Amino acid sequence: MEPVTFVLFGATGDLAKRKIYPALYNLYIEQKLPPYFHVIGLGRREWTDDIFKSNVEQSIADFSRRKVKDPVLLKSFLNMFQYQTLDIGRQEDYERLLERIEKRENGLSLTPNRMFYLSVGPEFFAPIAANIKGSGLGSAAGWKRLLIEKPFGHDLASARELNQQLSEAFEEHEIFRIDHYLGKPTVQKLVDLHQQHPELQAMWSEREIANVQITANEIVGVEDRAGYYDHSGAVRDMFQNHMLQLLMMVAILPKKVTPEEVPLMKRALMKSLVPLDLQQVGERVIRGQYTAGSIQGKPVQGYTSEPNIAAESLNDTFIAAKLLMEDDYWSGVPFYIRTGKRLKEKSTRIVVEFKPHAADAGSGKPAPRLLVIEMSPQEGISLQFSPDQARHHEQLSPVQLDVHASGQELPEAYENLLHDALLGKPTFFAHWEEVELAWQWVEPVLQAFERNDVPLRTYAAGSYGPAESDALVANDGYHWWFDAKETAADESRVLHPSR
Ligand SMILES: NC(=O)c1ccc[n+]([C@@H]2O[C@H](COP(=O)([O-])OP(=O)(O)OC[C@H]3O[C@@H](n4cnc5c(N)ncnc54)[C@H](OP(=O)(O)O)[C@@H]3O)[C@@H](O)[C@H]2O)c1
């Protein structure tokens, strides 16, 4: 691996502490960092190198999946970290930074490869990019890369404006847009799942998919993000990015692509999504907001009673939608997506429901077969069959697909993503065109919500969302899989099957 200077804006912040330092530590332990790797942390705080190092050490103690066993290794890891005070708006701070970086690069005769990670609010992305260019930090003979995380704009127009600003300092192949869902090991496995499982290839080739369901349910409410969330809602916070990324990744499954072909295929799939006009939004999109209820036995207040949320807020804390594709494989197969806050249980999963075989009917009604891709709270992929039972009362018989070796501790998403960015591998990052196409698809939804054309459906905290979300799927003759209804039949549900 080539030498890299890792320039971290927002080094004193929460994301760096929770995710970035633990990820770097685990990569270091696994010898996945370049031999000459140097971190310069930046923030306005007047920290010394030693204060910075002790904060990094604390973050590893608090958040790393792997605890420190060897203090000597930890020390050599921390020796890679230096801190510099920098105000994002002050050009002279960038010039000082350049001097410091060049001094080290020249002293060690290193190729000046620089990775800029912007772990700061999105309003700073454009000014930082401009200052990197203006100061000469981005003009060295080595490569440069920019890492940013959503939100990439607030709507189509602002996303385009941001992209235009970034593209004045970085080319598209130099921009690595993080969507941490794409860093999850299970999501990454989807690319070559079919190659490893002939039984799946046979199922795909039958072209017998009834529907695809993508769920990301959260228990938590708006927490301390009221200011951001009340202007964003589930549609911007989750749907436009994470949910549509999951849709692209699952739609790749039958397509037989190499990792290099993934970004192109994702764009093709996004282009094949059937757009909605304003009237169709009301028919295919459910907008919800939680009211008071109870979660895991504890009472929970409604959204508009949360601190810093206006009593008359019409913000969406839940969204469900039915999407269709015009694609040689997926035409006619509905994709149902739902995501929201203050729901009954935390779960992120994709279910591909195959049509039942009449031959499987036995004495009862033929029952469907499922491919279940779980990302949270556990990760795993299984095929589940329900050969002899009636549809809603099935005893599922699961077959765990061997995608993660048994007992294997999985890397965190940020480890995978940082490693790929260091290698310059774009497969699991969001290309600008995907982001733009996603905003394009969502734009009429934003407009319809803004104009209040779509009714705001309420749901009690601790439920699975508004009844209309169930009806959206039921109208086509299906139901959301694995919702824990209060019936004896559901005691049979199997989510984390043992082999
Ligand atoms: N926290 C998470 O788990 C998480 C998860 C996903 C995405 N994100 C995204 O990641 C970004 C950072 O989030 P965060 O939670 O880490 O925020 P945060 O805790 O508020 O940290 C913000 C960082 O920005 C720095 N900063 C702010 N203004 C600055 C200025 N004028 N000049 C130089 N540095 C400045 C702060 O440093 P000083 O105060 O020292 O200046 C601090 O290090 C946000 O875009 C957020 O949406 C966060």
Side-chain angles (χ1 to χ4, degrees):
M1 246 188 197
E2 301 163 287
V4 179
T5 304
F6 186 87
V7 182
L8 180 59
F9 291 82
T12 56
D14 187 65
L15 179 68
K17 176 176 76 177
R18 278 171 194 279
K19 298 291 180 191
I20 301 173
Y21 304 136
L24 289 175
Y25 177 69
N26 283 290
L27 290 175
Y28 180 75
I29 296 296
E30 289 170 7
Q31 302 184 346
K32 288 181 175 167
L33 291 181
Y36 287 96
F37 186 73
H38 177 221
V39 181
I40 299 203
L42 305 167
R44 283 165 305 178
R45 268 161 255 197
E46 301 278 346
W47 282 6
T48 61
D49 286 350
D50 283 343
I51 296 176
F52 183 38
K53 285 178 195 191
S54 70
N55 273 275
V56 174
E57 182 175 354
Q58 190 60 49
S59 104
I60 289 157
D62 292 342
F63 299 108
S64 169
R65 66 183 168 89
R66 197 182 257 127
K67 295 303 161 205
V68 173
K69 290 201 184 115
D70 183 345
V72 178
L73 262 187
L74 175 69
K75 191 154 186 270
S76 68
F77 171 72
L78 293 174
N79 275 342
M80 301 188 308
F81 288 76
Q82 287 185 323
Y83 182 80
Q84 180 169 314
T85 305
L86 173 141
D87 191 315
I88 288 166
R90 258 208 324 254
Q91 173 90 32
E92 57 269 32
D93 287 356
Y94 293 78
E95 284 155 12
R96 275 194 309 124
L97 176 64
L98 176 60
E99 260 174 50
R100 187 167 180 180
I101 293 175
E102 279 180 338
K103 197 170 160 199
R104 181 174 178 277
E105 287 166 350
N106 294 338
L108 294 168
S109 304
L110 300 176
T111 313
N113 300 319
R114 296 168 192 165
M115 192 146 117
F116 301 96
Y117 194 128
L118 311 195
S119 181
V120 292
E123 68 279 18
F124 293 124
F125 294 172
I128 292 176
N131 278 327
I132 287 173
K133 184 176 181 193
S135 63
L137 266 164
S139 324
W143 52 251
K144 64 177 186 300
R145 290 179 194 143
L146 182 75
L147 267 82
I148 50 175
E149 184 156 352
K150 62 115 190 170
F152 310 125
H154 189 70
D155 52 19
L156 183 58
S158 58
R160 282 181 172 154
E161 187 185 349
L162 172 64
N163 195 57
Q164 170 59 33
Q165 291 162 330
L166 295 182
S167 66
E168 282 165 23
F170 290 87
E171 293 184 35
E172 176 59 28
H173 74 271
E174 297 174 320
I175 303 177
F176 289 71
R177 293 179 196 80
I178 291 181
D179 185 309
H180 71 268
Y181 278 51
L182 295 178
K184 289 175 183 282
T186 304
V187 176
Q188 299 198 344
K189 289 278 179 187
L190 296 180
V191 171
D192 56 4
L193 190 70
H194 63 274
Q195 278 158 8
Q196 296 176 14
H197 292 280
E199 68 272 38
L200 267 182
Q201 284 182 31
M203 288 171 80
W204 295 131
S205 62
E206 290 162 10
R207 294 175 170 260
E208 296 256 314
I209 297 174
N211 69 82
V212 179
Q213 304 180 6
I214 308 176
T215 293
N217 289 346
E218 295 181 271
I219 287 181
V220 293
V222 64
E223 298 181 293
D224 55 2
R225 299 163 73 217
Y228 156 77
Y229 193 80
D230 203 40
H231 294 100
S232 155
V235 61
R236 291 184 173 91
D237 188 46
M238 292 290 292
F239 189 93
Q240 184 275 339
N241 36 76
H242 303 315
M243 305 309 284
L244 289 179
Q245 284 292 342
L246 289 182
L247 179 143
M248 289 178 244
M249 292 304 291
V250 71
I252 277 178
L253 268 172
K255 297 283 187 178
K256 296 200 173 106
V257 291
T258 62
E260 293 70 34
E261 291 163 340
V262 165
L264 264 181
M265 178 52 74
K266 283 167 70 187
R267 273 170 258 164
L269 289 164
M270 272 310 295
K271 282 182 189 161
S272 72
L273 270 188
V274 178
L276 297 186
D277 60 32
L278 277 175
Q279 192 199 324
Q280 287 166 323
V281 175
E283 293 157 12
R284 304 238 186 108
V285 179
I286 309 299
R287 170 194 185 208
Q289 188 185 86
Y290 61 86
T291 55
S294 98
I295 296 186
Q296 296 172 346
K298 291 199 182 116
V300 168
Q301 61 192 350
Y303 179 70
T304 52
S305 305
E306 299 271 21
N308 304 317
I309 301 291
E312 64 280 7
S313 172
L314 297 178
N315 190 33
D316 48 301
T317 63
F318 178 96
I319 181 169
K322 172 180 170 181
L323 294 86
L324 294 168
M325 275 186 189
E326 271 167 11
D327 170 83
D328 56 0
Y329 192 89
W330 291 107
S331 287
V333 178
F335 284 76
Y336 305 106
I337 293 180
R338 63 175 170 171
T339 181
K341 290 194 176 294
R342 285 288 191 228
L343 295 168
K344 188 179 180 80
E345 60 202 5
K346 179 172 169 55
S347 53
T348 309
R349 89 170 70 87
I350 303 172
V351 178
V352 181
E353 179 176 337
F354 292 83
K355 289 178 188 162
H357 275 173
D360 289 342
S363 53
K365 193 176 164 190
R369 300 156 296 157
L370 310 177
L371 173 68
V372 183
I373 300 149
E374 281 193 77
M375 290 149 274
S376 175
Q378 299 192 21
E379 297 209 34
I381 303 181
S382 59
L383 277 173
Q384 304 198 16
F385 303 91
S386 45
D388 291 324
Q389 316 281 329
R391 246 183 112 90
H392 281 265
H393 304 281
E394 60 281 348
Q395 178 73 48
L396 297 170
S397 38
V399 180
Q400 190 78 45
L401 299 183
D402 192 16
V403 287
H404 306 304
S406 176
Q408 180 190 353
E409 198 189 338
L410 296 177
E412 288 264 342
Y414 282 83
E415 293 170 41
N416 286 334
L417 294 171
L418 282 173
H419 190 235
D420 280 357
L422 286 167
L423 294 169
K425 280 171 59 180
T427 305
F428 297 111
F429 293 88
H431 189 280
W432 160 244
E433 273 185 51
E434 291 161 30
V435 175
E436 185 179 40
L437 287 162
W439 277 121
Q440 259 165 14
W441 196 90
V442 160
E443 196 69 14
V445 181
L446 298 180
Q447 278 178 32
F449 284 14
E450 189 77 32
R451 291 160 38 154
N452 215 10
D453 284 351
V454 179
L456 183 67
R457 311 287 185 183
T458 55
Y459 60 99
S463 68
Y464 282 104
E468 289 78 6
S469 156
D470 294 338
L472 181 76
V473 182
N475 285 343
D476 295 337
Y478 305 120
H479 66 281
W480 290 108
W481 281 95
F482 302 116
D483 282 4
K485 298 277 186 292
E486 311 294 325
T487 65
D490 283 90
E491 285 164 20
S492 69
R493 76 201 192 104
V494 180
L495 262 185
H496 311 297
S498 52
R499 262 182 268 181

Short mmCIF file of all heavy atoms in Angstrom, two decimals, residues 153-179:
data_model
loop_
_atom_site.label_atom_id
_atom_site.label_comp_id
_atom_site.label_asym_id
_atom_site.label_seq_id
_atom_site.Cartn_x
_atom_site.Cartn_y
_atom_site.Cartn_z
N GLY A 153 -26.69 17.42 0.15
CA GLY A 153 -27.77 18.30 -0.27
C GLY A 153 -29.04 18.01 0.50
O GLY A 153 -29.15 17.02 1.23
N HIS A 154 -30.01 18.92 0.27
CA HIS A 154 -31.30 18.86 0.97
C HIS A 154 -32.41 18.48 -0.02
O HIS A 154 -33.48 18.06 0.35
CB HIS A 154 -31.56 20.25 1.57
CG HIS A 154 -32.72 20.31 2.48
ND1 HIS A 154 -32.72 19.72 3.72
CD2 HIS A 154 -33.94 20.89 2.34
CE1 HIS A 154 -33.89 19.95 4.31
NE2 HIS A 154 -34.64 20.64 3.48
N ASP A 155 -32.10 18.69 -1.28
CA ASP A 155 -33.00 18.33 -2.38
C ASP A 155 -32.14 18.28 -3.65
O ASP A 155 -30.92 18.44 -3.58
CB ASP A 155 -34.15 19.34 -2.51
CG ASP A 155 -33.66 20.77 -2.60
OD1 ASP A 155 -32.46 20.97 -2.92
OD2 ASP A 155 -34.43 21.70 -2.35
N LEU A 156 -32.80 18.07 -4.79
CA LEU A 156 -32.04 17.90 -6.03
C LEU A 156 -31.19 19.13 -6.34
O LEU A 156 -30.00 19.02 -6.66
CB LEU A 156 -33.01 17.59 -7.18
CG LEU A 156 -32.40 17.33 -8.53
CD1 LEU A 156 -31.43 16.16 -8.49
CD2 LEU A 156 -33.50 17.06 -9.58
N ALA A 157 -31.79 20.32 -6.21
CA ALA A 157 -31.07 21.55 -6.59
C ALA A 157 -29.87 21.77 -5.68
O ALA A 157 -28.75 22.07 -6.16
CB ALA A 157 -32.02 22.74 -6.52
N SER A 158 -30.03 21.61 -4.37
CA SER A 158 -28.90 21.87 -3.46
C SER A 158 -27.83 20.78 -3.60
O SER A 158 -26.65 21.05 -3.44
CB SER A 158 -29.39 22.00 -2.02
OG SER A 158 -30.06 20.83 -1.62
N ALA A 159 -28.25 19.56 -3.92
CA ALA A 159 -27.26 18.49 -4.12
C ALA A 159 -26.41 18.80 -5.36
O ALA A 159 -25.19 18.62 -5.36
CB ALA A 159 -27.96 17.15 -4.29
N ARG A 160 -27.08 19.28 -6.41
CA ARG A 160 -26.33 19.64 -7.64
C ARG A 160 -25.38 20.79 -7.37
O ARG A 160 -24.25 20.80 -7.85
CB ARG A 160 -27.31 20.02 -8.75
CG ARG A 160 -27.94 18.80 -9.39
CD ARG A 160 -28.88 19.19 -10.51
NE ARG A 160 -29.32 18.01 -11.22
CZ ARG A 160 -30.47 17.92 -11.89
NH1 ARG A 160 -31.29 18.95 -11.93
NH2 ARG A 160 -30.78 16.80 -12.52
N GLU A 161 -25.84 21.75 -6.59
CA GLU A 161 -24.99 22.90 -6.29
C GLU A 161 -23.75 22.44 -5.51
O GLU A 161 -22.62 22.82 -5.82
CB GLU A 161 -25.79 23.92 -5.47
CG GLU A 161 -25.03 25.22 -5.27
CD GLU A 161 -25.78 26.18 -4.35
OE1 GLU A 161 -26.96 25.94 -4.03
OE2 GLU A 161 -25.14 27.16 -3.93
N LEU A 162 -23.98 21.58 -4.50
CA LEU A 162 -22.85 21.08 -3.71
C LEU A 162 -21.89 20.30 -4.61
O LEU A 162 -20.66 20.48 -4.54
CB LEU A 162 -23.35 20.17 -2.58
CG LEU A 162 -22.27 19.42 -1.81
CD1 LEU A 162 -21.35 20.39 -1.06
CD2 LEU A 162 -22.88 18.42 -0.82
N ASN A 163 -22.44 19.49 -5.48
CA ASN A 163 -21.57 18.69 -6.33
C ASN A 163 -20.74 19.57 -7.26
O ASN A 163 -19.56 19.31 -7.49
CB ASN A 163 -22.40 17.69 -7.15
CG ASN A 163 -21.51 16.64 -7.76
OD1 ASN A 163 -20.80 15.96 -7.03
ND2 ASN A 163 -21.50 16.54 -9.07
N GLN A 164 -21.37 20.62 -7.76
CA GLN A 164 -20.66 21.57 -8.63
C GLN A 164 -19.50 22.19 -7.86
O GLN A 164 -18.37 22.28 -8.36
CB GLN A 164 -21.67 22.63 -9.11
CG GLN A 164 -21.06 23.81 -9.83
CD GLN A 164 -20.28 23.37 -11.07
OE1 GLN A 164 -20.65 22.38 -11.72
NE2 GLN A 164 -19.18 24.05 -11.36
N GLN A 165 -19.76 22.58 -6.61
CA GLN A 165 -18.70 23.21 -5.80
C GLN A 165 -17.56 22.21 -5.53
O GLN A 165 -16.38 22.56 -5.64
CB GLN A 165 -19.29 23.71 -4.48
CG GLN A 165 -20.21 24.90 -4.67
CD GLN A 165 -21.12 25.13 -3.47
OE1 GLN A 165 -21.48 24.20 -2.75
NE2 GLN A 165 -21.51 26.37 -3.25
N LEU A 166 -17.91 20.98 -5.19
CA LEU A 166 -16.87 19.99 -4.90
C LEU A 166 -16.07 19.69 -6.15
O LEU A 166 -14.84 19.49 -6.11
CB LEU A 166 -17.49 18.68 -4.36
CG LEU A 166 -18.19 18.76 -3.01
CD1 LEU A 166 -18.70 17.38 -2.61
CD2 LEU A 166 -17.26 19.30 -1.93
N SER A 167 -16.77 19.67 -7.29
CA SER A 167 -16.08 19.27 -8.53
C SER A 167 -15.10 20.33 -9.01
O SER A 167 -14.30 20.07 -9.90
CB SER A 167 -17.09 18.91 -9.62
OG SER A 167 -17.78 20.07 -9.99
N GLU A 168 -15.13 21.52 -8.41
CA GLU A 168 -14.12 22.52 -8.76
C GLU A 168 -12.78 22.19 -8.11
O GLU A 168 -11.73 22.68 -8.53
CB GLU A 168 -14.60 23.91 -8.35
CG GLU A 168 -15.61 24.44 -9.36
CD GLU A 168 -16.41 25.62 -8.88
OE1 GLU A 168 -15.93 26.33 -7.96
OE2 GLU A 168 -17.52 25.83 -9.41
N ALA A 169 -12.80 21.36 -7.08
CA ALA A 169 -11.54 21.01 -6.40
C ALA A 169 -11.18 19.53 -6.55
O ALA A 169 -10.00 19.16 -6.45
CB ALA A 169 -11.65 21.36 -4.92
N PHE A 170 -12.17 18.68 -6.77
CA PHE A 170 -11.92 17.23 -6.86
C PHE A 170 -12.66 16.65 -8.06
O PHE A 170 -13.78 17.06 -8.36
CB PHE A 170 -12.42 16.51 -5.59
CG PHE A 170 -11.62 16.80 -4.38
CD1 PHE A 170 -11.92 17.91 -3.59
CD2 PHE A 170 -10.53 15.99 -4.01
CE1 PHE A 170 -11.17 18.21 -2.46
CE2 PHE A 170 -9.79 16.29 -2.88
CZ PHE A 170 -10.10 17.39 -2.10
N GLU A 171 -12.03 15.70 -8.71
CA GLU A 171 -12.73 14.99 -9.79
C GLU A 171 -13.60 13.90 -9.18
O GLU A 171 -13.35 13.45 -8.06
CB GLU A 171 -11.72 14.40 -10.76
CG GLU A 171 -10.97 15.50 -11.49
CD GLU A 171 -10.03 14.94 -12.53
OE1 GLU A 171 -10.36 13.91 -13.15
OE2 GLU A 171 -8.96 15.54 -12.70
N GLU A 172 -14.56 13.45 -9.95
CA GLU A 172 -15.50 12.44 -9.42
C GLU A 172 -14.77 11.21 -8.88
O GLU A 172 -15.10 10.69 -7.82
CB GLU A 172 -16.53 12.04 -10.50
CG GLU A 172 -17.50 10.95 -10.09
CD GLU A 172 -18.35 11.26 -8.85
OE1 GLU A 172 -18.63 12.43 -8.57
OE2 GLU A 172 -18.72 10.28 -8.15
N HIS A 173 -13.74 10.75 -9.60
CA HIS A 173 -13.08 9.52 -9.13
C HIS A 173 -12.28 9.76 -7.84
O HIS A 173 -11.84 8.81 -7.20
CB HIS A 173 -12.17 8.93 -10.23
CG HIS A 173 -10.91 9.70 -10.44
ND1 HIS A 173 -10.81 10.74 -11.33
CD2 HIS A 173 -9.69 9.60 -9.86
CE1 HIS A 173 -9.59 11.24 -11.29
NE2 HIS A 173 -8.89 10.58 -10.40
N GLU A 174 -12.14 11.04 -7.45
CA GLU A 174 -11.43 11.35 -6.21
C GLU A 174 -12.39 11.53 -5.02
O GLU A 174 -11.94 11.69 -3.89
CB GLU A 174 -10.62 12.64 -6.38
CG GLU A 174 -9.54 12.52 -7.45
CD GLU A 174 -8.83 13.85 -7.72
OE1 GLU A 174 -9.50 14.90 -7.75
OE2 GLU A 174 -7.60 13.82 -7.91
N ILE A 175 -13.70 11.50 -5.30
CA ILE A 175 -14.68 11.74 -4.22
C ILE A 175 -15.28 10.40 -3.78
O ILE A 175 -15.84 9.67 -4.60
CB ILE A 175 -15.79 12.70 -4.70
CG1 ILE A 175 -15.17 14.02 -5.18
CG2 ILE A 175 -16.79 12.95 -3.56
CD1 ILE A 175 -16.18 15.03 -5.74
N PHE A 176 -15.15 10.10 -2.51
CA PHE A 176 -15.68 8.86 -1.94
C PHE A 176 -16.81 9.24 -0.98
O PHE A 176 -16.57 9.73 0.12
CB PHE A 176 -14.56 8.09 -1.22
CG PHE A 176 -13.57 7.49 -2.17
CD1 PHE A 176 -12.67 8.30 -2.87
CD2 PHE A 176 -13.55 6.13 -2.41
CE1 PHE A 176 -11.78 7.75 -3.78
CE2 PHE A 176 -12.66 5.57 -3.31
CZ PHE A 176 -11.77 6.38 -4.00
N ARG A 177 -18.05 9.05 -1.46
CA ARG A 177 -19.22 9.42 -0.65
C ARG A 177 -19.63 8.21 0.19
O ARG A 177 -20.02 7.17 -0.34
CB ARG A 177 -20.39 9.84 -1.53
CG ARG A 177 -20.14 11.13 -2.28
CD ARG A 177 -21.31 11.50 -3.18
NE ARG A 177 -20.87 12.51 -4.14
CZ ARG A 177 -20.21 12.23 -5.25
NH1 ARG A 177 -19.92 10.99 -5.55
NH2 ARG A 177 -19.81 13.19 -6.06
N ILE A 178 -19.54 8.41 1.50
CA ILE A 178 -19.84 7.30 2.40
C ILE A 178 -21.34 7.16 2.61
O ILE A 178 -22.04 8.14 2.90
CB ILE A 178 -19.16 7.54 3.77
CG1 ILE A 178 -17.64 7.41 3.61
CG2 ILE A 178 -19.69 6.58 4.83
CD1 ILE A 178 -16.87 7.61 4.89
N ASP A 179 -21.85 5.95 2.41
CA ASP A 179 -23.15 5.57 2.94
C ASP A 179 -22.84 4.34 3.78
O ASP A 179 -22.52 3.28 3.24
CB ASP A 179 -24.13 5.22 1.80
CG ASP A 179 -25.51 4.93 2.34
OD1 ASP A 179 -25.62 4.11 3.28
OD2 ASP A 179 -26.49 5.53 1.86
#
